[in-house]
Amino acid sequence: MLMNNQYFGSHIIQIDRVGSTNNYAAKLLNQTKIPFGAVIMAQFQDDGRGQRGAVWQSKSGENLLFSAILDGSLMKECPTFYLSKCVAVSIKDTLSYFVKQKIHLKWPNDVLVERRKIAGVLIENQWKGNNLFSSIIGVGLNVNQTHFEYGFDATSMKLLSANDYDLKEVLQVLCTKLNFNFNRLLSKEYSDLQQDYLSSLYKYNEKTHFKIGDKLEEVVLKDVNENGMVSLEMLGGKIKEYDFSQARQII
Protein backbone atom coordinates (compact mmCIF):
# COMPACT_ATOMS: atom_id res chain seq x y z
CA MET A 1 0.00 0.00 0.00
CA LEU A 2 1.23 3.49 -0.89
CA MET A 3 0.75 4.96 2.53
CA ASN A 4 3.01 7.97 1.96
CA ASN A 5 0.92 9.40 -0.86
CA GLN A 6 -1.31 12.30 0.14
CA TYR A 7 -4.19 12.45 -2.31
CA PHE A 8 -6.38 14.66 -0.12
CA GLY A 9 -5.46 17.72 1.92
CA SER A 10 -2.10 18.52 0.31
CA HIS A 11 -3.26 22.12 -0.17
CA ILE A 12 -6.14 23.80 1.73
CA ILE A 13 -7.96 26.92 0.55
CA GLN A 14 -10.23 28.59 3.11
CA ILE A 15 -13.00 30.94 1.99
CA ASP A 16 -15.75 32.67 3.97
CA ARG A 17 -18.71 32.40 1.63
CA VAL A 18 -19.34 30.68 -1.70
CA GLY A 19 -22.26 29.49 -3.76
CA SER A 20 -21.05 25.89 -3.84
CA THR A 21 -17.59 24.55 -3.03
CA ASN A 22 -17.97 22.03 -5.88
CA ASN A 23 -18.67 24.82 -8.38
CA TYR A 24 -15.81 26.89 -6.96
CA ALA A 25 -13.43 23.93 -7.29
CA ALA A 26 -14.51 23.32 -10.89
CA LYS A 27 -13.86 26.97 -11.81
CA LEU A 28 -10.43 26.87 -10.18
CA LEU A 29 -9.55 23.75 -12.18
CA ASN A 30 -10.59 25.44 -15.42
CA GLN A 31 -8.95 28.79 -14.71
CA THR A 32 -5.76 28.07 -12.73
CA LYS A 33 -3.20 25.36 -12.00
CA ILE A 34 -4.64 24.32 -8.66
CA PRO A 35 -3.00 21.05 -7.59
CA PHE A 36 -4.85 17.79 -7.35
CA GLY A 37 -5.42 16.95 -3.70
CA ALA A 38 -6.44 20.52 -2.91
CA VAL A 39 -9.35 21.05 -0.51
CA ILE A 40 -11.64 24.09 -0.67
CA MET A 41 -13.19 24.71 2.75
CA ALA A 42 -16.00 27.25 3.19
CA GLN A 43 -17.61 28.83 6.23
CA PHE A 44 -20.93 29.07 4.40
CA GLN A 45 -22.50 27.95 1.12
CA ASP A 46 -25.32 29.93 -0.47
CA ASP A 47 -26.16 27.07 -2.80
CA GLY A 48 -25.00 23.84 -1.15
CA ARG A 49 -26.23 20.87 -3.14
CA GLY A 50 -26.87 17.16 -2.75
CA GLN A 51 -28.11 14.34 -4.96
CA ARG A 52 -31.31 14.83 -6.99
CA GLY A 53 -31.06 18.62 -6.61
CA ALA A 54 -31.49 18.51 -2.82
CA VAL A 55 -30.38 21.57 -0.84
CA TRP A 56 -27.78 21.22 1.92
CA GLN A 57 -28.76 23.43 4.88
CA SER A 58 -25.99 24.68 7.15
CA LYS A 59 -25.34 27.60 9.50
CA SER A 60 -22.27 29.74 8.85
CA GLY A 61 -19.08 28.61 10.55
CA GLU A 62 -20.66 25.70 12.40
CA ASN A 63 -20.15 22.79 10.00
CA LEU A 64 -17.52 21.26 7.77
CA LEU A 65 -18.24 22.17 4.15
CA PHE A 66 -15.56 21.33 1.62
CA SER A 67 -14.68 19.96 -1.79
CA ALA A 68 -11.59 17.88 -2.54
CA ILE A 69 -10.10 17.69 -6.04
CA LEU A 70 -8.92 14.24 -7.13
CA ASP A 71 -6.77 13.42 -10.16
CA GLY A 72 -9.13 11.52 -12.45
CA SER A 73 -6.33 9.53 -14.08
CA LEU A 74 -5.95 7.59 -10.82
CA MET A 75 -9.45 6.17 -11.30
CA LYS A 76 -8.80 4.44 -14.64
CA GLU A 77 -8.89 0.93 -13.22
CA CYS A 78 -11.30 1.52 -10.34
CA PRO A 79 -14.95 0.46 -10.53
CA THR A 80 -17.20 3.49 -10.86
CA PHE A 81 -18.94 3.59 -7.48
CA TYR A 82 -15.99 2.54 -5.36
CA LEU A 83 -14.86 6.15 -4.96
CA SER A 84 -18.23 6.95 -3.39
CA LYS A 85 -17.89 3.92 -1.10
CA CYS A 86 -14.36 5.01 -0.19
CA VAL A 87 -15.57 8.50 0.78
CA ALA A 88 -18.55 7.15 2.73
CA VAL A 89 -16.37 4.72 4.72
CA SER A 90 -13.90 7.56 5.43
CA ILE A 91 -16.66 9.77 6.85
CA LYS A 92 -17.88 6.84 8.95
CA ASP A 93 -14.34 6.25 10.25
CA THR A 94 -13.95 9.96 11.05
CA LEU A 95 -17.21 10.13 12.98
CA SER A 96 -16.30 6.96 14.88
CA TYR A 97 -13.09 8.71 15.97
CA PHE A 98 -15.09 11.51 17.61
CA VAL A 99 -18.45 10.04 18.71
CA LYS A 100 -19.61 6.76 20.23
CA GLN A 101 -22.88 6.21 18.39
CA LYS A 102 -23.33 3.71 15.55
CA ILE A 103 -22.82 5.27 12.12
CA HIS A 104 -24.92 4.15 9.14
CA LEU A 105 -24.31 4.74 5.45
CA LYS A 106 -27.52 5.29 3.49
CA TRP A 107 -27.49 4.55 -0.22
CA PRO A 108 -26.48 6.38 -2.30
CA ASN A 109 -24.74 9.27 -0.53
CA ASP A 110 -25.93 10.04 3.01
CA VAL A 111 -24.51 9.29 6.45
CA LEU A 112 -26.92 8.74 9.35
CA VAL A 113 -26.73 8.53 13.11
CA GLU A 114 -29.84 7.42 14.99
CA ARG A 115 -31.78 7.68 11.69
CA ARG A 116 -30.88 11.37 11.36
CA LYS A 117 -28.70 12.80 8.62
CA ILE A 118 -25.27 13.99 9.73
CA ALA A 119 -23.38 14.10 6.41
CA GLY A 120 -23.85 14.00 2.66
CA VAL A 121 -21.59 13.54 -0.34
CA LEU A 122 -21.81 14.84 -3.90
CA ILE A 123 -19.18 13.63 -6.40
CA GLU A 124 -19.01 15.41 -9.76
CA ASN A 125 -16.67 14.39 -12.57
CA GLN A 126 -14.95 16.50 -15.21
CA TRP A 127 -14.05 14.87 -18.51
CA LYS A 128 -11.60 15.74 -21.28
CA GLY A 129 -12.80 13.80 -24.28
CA ASN A 130 -13.20 10.19 -23.15
CA ASN A 131 -10.78 10.59 -20.26
CA LEU A 132 -11.77 11.39 -16.68
CA PHE A 133 -9.81 14.55 -15.82
CA SER A 134 -10.92 15.09 -12.23
CA SER A 135 -13.40 14.06 -9.57
CA ILE A 136 -14.64 16.82 -7.28
CA ILE A 137 -15.77 15.35 -3.97
CA GLY A 138 -18.14 17.61 -2.07
CA VAL A 139 -18.78 16.85 1.60
CA GLY A 140 -21.14 18.46 4.09
CA LEU A 141 -20.69 17.28 7.69
CA ASN A 142 -22.75 18.66 10.56
CA VAL A 143 -20.29 19.44 13.34
CA ASN A 144 -21.31 22.17 15.80
CA GLN A 145 -24.80 23.10 14.62
CA THR A 146 -27.50 22.31 17.19
CA HIS A 147 -30.65 23.82 15.65
CA PHE A 148 -32.03 22.78 12.26
CA GLU A 149 -34.96 24.07 10.28
CA TYR A 150 -38.32 22.42 10.86
CA GLY A 151 -38.73 19.38 8.63
CA PHE A 152 -34.98 18.87 8.23
CA ASP A 153 -34.33 15.69 10.23
CA ALA A 154 -30.65 16.10 11.06
CA THR A 155 -28.12 15.74 13.83
CA SER A 156 -24.53 16.85 14.45
CA MET A 157 -21.39 15.80 16.25
CA LYS A 158 -22.12 18.33 18.99
CA LEU A 159 -25.65 17.05 19.51
CA LEU A 160 -24.28 13.52 19.82
CA SER A 161 -21.48 14.31 22.27
CA ALA A 162 -22.20 17.76 23.80
CA ASN A 163 -18.68 18.78 22.71
CA ASP A 164 -17.54 21.67 20.53
CA TYR A 165 -15.16 20.73 17.73
CA ASP A 166 -12.44 22.53 15.82
CA LEU A 167 -13.44 22.29 12.13
CA LYS A 168 -9.81 22.20 11.00
CA GLU A 169 -9.10 19.26 13.27
CA VAL A 170 -12.13 17.38 11.96
CA LEU A 171 -10.98 18.10 8.39
CA GLN A 172 -7.47 16.86 9.19
CA VAL A 173 -8.81 13.58 10.55
CA LEU A 174 -11.14 13.16 7.57
CA CYS A 175 -8.32 13.79 5.08
CA THR A 176 -6.22 11.18 6.89
CA LYS A 177 -9.06 8.65 6.61
CA LEU A 178 -9.62 9.56 2.94
CA ASN A 179 -5.95 9.03 2.13
CA PHE A 180 -5.89 5.70 3.95
CA ASN A 181 -9.02 4.34 2.26
CA PHE A 182 -8.11 5.71 -1.16
CA ASN A 183 -4.78 3.88 -0.90
CA ARG A 184 -6.81 0.74 -0.23
CA LEU A 185 -8.85 1.50 -3.34
CA LEU A 186 -5.76 1.95 -5.52
CA SER A 187 -4.37 -1.29 -4.07
CA LYS A 188 -7.54 -2.97 -5.38
CA GLU A 189 -8.74 -4.04 -1.94
CA TYR A 190 -12.27 -3.96 -3.30
CA SER A 191 -13.66 -6.80 -1.21
CA ASP A 192 -12.38 -5.27 2.04
CA LEU A 193 -13.83 -1.86 1.16
CA GLN A 194 -17.10 -3.49 0.16
CA GLN A 195 -17.22 -5.34 3.48
CA ASP A 196 -16.60 -2.10 5.40
CA TYR A 197 -19.30 -0.37 3.37
CA LEU A 198 -21.92 -3.11 3.74
CA SER A 199 -21.22 -3.56 7.46
CA SER A 200 -22.51 0.00 8.03
CA LEU A 201 -25.12 0.12 5.25
CA TYR A 202 -28.49 1.26 6.59
CA LYS A 203 -30.97 -1.65 6.70
CA TYR A 204 -28.55 -4.06 4.98
CA ASN A 205 -30.14 -7.52 4.74
CA GLU A 206 -33.20 -6.15 6.52
CA LYS A 207 -36.70 -5.24 5.48
CA THR A 208 -36.95 -1.61 4.48
CA HIS A 209 -39.07 0.65 2.29
CA PHE A 210 -38.11 2.06 -1.09
CA LYS A 211 -40.05 4.44 -3.30
CA ILE A 212 -39.76 2.86 -6.74
CA GLY A 213 -41.40 5.00 -9.36
CA ASP A 214 -44.72 5.97 -7.82
CA LYS A 215 -44.99 2.90 -5.58
CA LEU A 216 -43.83 2.37 -2.01
CA GLU A 217 -42.38 -1.14 -1.78
CA GLU A 218 -41.31 -3.24 1.21
CA VAL A 219 -38.08 -4.97 0.19
CA VAL A 220 -34.88 -6.45 1.59
CA LEU A 221 -31.72 -4.50 0.75
CA LYS A 222 -29.25 -7.13 -0.53
CA ASP A 223 -26.30 -5.26 -2.08
CA VAL A 224 -24.87 -2.13 -3.69
CA ASN A 225 -22.73 -3.08 -6.68
CA GLU A 226 -19.58 -1.50 -8.15
CA ASN A 227 -21.67 0.75 -10.41
CA GLY A 228 -23.78 2.06 -7.54
CA MET A 229 -26.92 0.10 -8.33
CA VAL A 230 -28.86 -1.21 -5.34
CA SER A 231 -30.05 -4.83 -5.31
CA LEU A 232 -33.44 -5.33 -3.70
CA GLU A 233 -35.26 -8.55 -2.90
CA MET A 234 -38.86 -7.94 -3.80
CA LEU A 235 -41.96 -9.53 -2.27
CA GLY A 236 -41.89 -13.04 -3.68
CA GLY A 237 -38.11 -13.34 -3.64
CA LYS A 238 -37.12 -11.85 -7.00
CA ILE A 239 -33.95 -9.68 -6.98
CA LYS A 240 -34.09 -6.43 -8.93
CA GLU A 241 -31.48 -3.69 -9.41
CA TYR A 242 -32.13 0.05 -9.48
CA ASP A 243 -30.03 3.15 -9.94
CA PHE A 244 -30.33 6.52 -8.14
CA SER A 245 -32.93 7.86 -10.55
CA GLN A 246 -35.24 4.86 -10.19
CA ALA A 247 -35.41 4.21 -6.46
CA ARG A 248 -35.20 6.08 -3.16
CA GLN A 249 -34.90 4.56 0.29
CA ILE A 250 -37.33 5.82 2.92
CA ILE A 251 -35.95 6.25 6.43
Side-chain angles (χ1 to χ4, degrees):
M1 291 176 64
L2 308 173
M3 293 309 300
N4 292 324
N5 289 343
Q6 189 177 15
Y7 299 102
F8 300 94
S10 60
H11 184 65
I12 296 176
I13 299 171
Q14 299 182 59
I15 50 180
D16 290 332
R17 191 179 190 117
V18 70
S20 156
T21 56
N22 268 26
N23 288 348
Y24 189 87
K27 288 179 181 178
L28 285 179
L29 273 172
N30 293 329
Q31 296 172 1
T32 68
K33 293 183 178 180
I34 185 170
F36 290 119
V39 169
I40 292 91
M41 177 183 177
Q43 294 290 310
F44 183 73
Q45 292 184 117
D46 293 303
D47 188 27
R49 295 176 292 120
Q51 288 279 8
R52 299 187 179 94
V55 175
W56 184 264
Q57 300 182 25
S58 177
K59 290 188 177 180
S60 180
E62 295 188 356
N63 301 317
L64 187 58
L65 311 169
F66 74 91
S67 293
I69 303 172
L70 179 67
D71 183 351
S73 67
L74 297 171
M75 296 297 298
K76 285 182 180 179
E77 298 182 10
C78 296
T80 308
F81 196 69
Y82 265 90
L83 178 58
S84 183
K85 291 180 180 180
C86 174
V87 175
V89 168
S90 298
I91 294 173
K92 177 203 71 172
D93 291 346
T94 298
L95 285 167
S96 295
Y97 179 84
F98 290 106
V99 303
K100 297 179 180 179
Q101 289 85 348
K102 171 72 175 176
I103 317 298
H104 284 110
L105 308 176
K106 177 176 172 285
W107 179 83
N109 70 325
D110 290 337
V111 183
L112 308 177
V113 182
E114 298 172 345
R115 299 180 65 187
R116 291 183 171 87
K117 185 170 179 176
I118 193 169
V121 179
L122 179 64
I123 299 176
E124 296 179 305
N125 296 320
Q126 290 191 325
W127 297 82
K128 287 191 174 180
N130 294 323
N131 298 316
L132 180 61
F133 173 65
S134 69
S135 290
I136 300 174
I137 302 162
V139 175
L141 172 60
N142 296 333
V143 179
N144 292 318
Q145 186 168 340
T146 56
H147 297 285
F148 295 90
E149 290 185 21
Y150 179 76
F152 191 61
D153 199 11
T155 189
S156 69
M157 291 167 58
K158 184 173 181 177
L159 284 174
L160 295 171
S161 67
N163 295 324
D164 283 299
Y165 295 94
D166 184 311
L167 297 182
K168 292 180 183 177
E169 180 187 358
V170 178
L171 177 62
Q172 183 180 30
V173 173
L174 182 45
C175 285
T176 299
K177 302 297 184 182
L178 282 167
N179 284 314
F180 175 79
N181 286 306
F182 191 66
N183 270 292
R184 295 172 70 198
L185 181 58
L186 294 185
S187 298
K188 299 185 179 181
E189 297 177 30
Y190 302 141
S191 60
D192 288 344
L193 277 170
Q194 175 74 343
Q195 184 177 352
D196 281 356
Y197 179 82
L198 291 179
S199 69
S200 295
L201 186 63
Y202 180 68
K203 293 294 185 179
Y204 175 57
N205 266 336
E206 296 180 25
K207 288 184 178 180
T208 183
H209 288 91
F210 270 75
K211 186 79 175 292
I212 302 171
D214 294 328
K215 291 184 65 179
L216 186 64
E217 303 267 9
E218 185 179 68
V219 299
V220 176
L221 200 169
K222 302 299 291 183
D223 194 18
V224 176
N225 71 17
E226 64 182 27
N227 296 315
M229 296 187 74
V230 65
S231 296
L232 304 177
E233 182 180 318
M234 315 303 289
L235 205 61
K238 188 174 182 179
I239 304 291
K240 293 185 179 181
E241 291 188 337
Y242 298 93
D243 65 23
F244 315 146
S245 66
Q246 297 170 318
R248 178 169 61 91
Q249 189 174 14
I250 307 299
I251 300 177

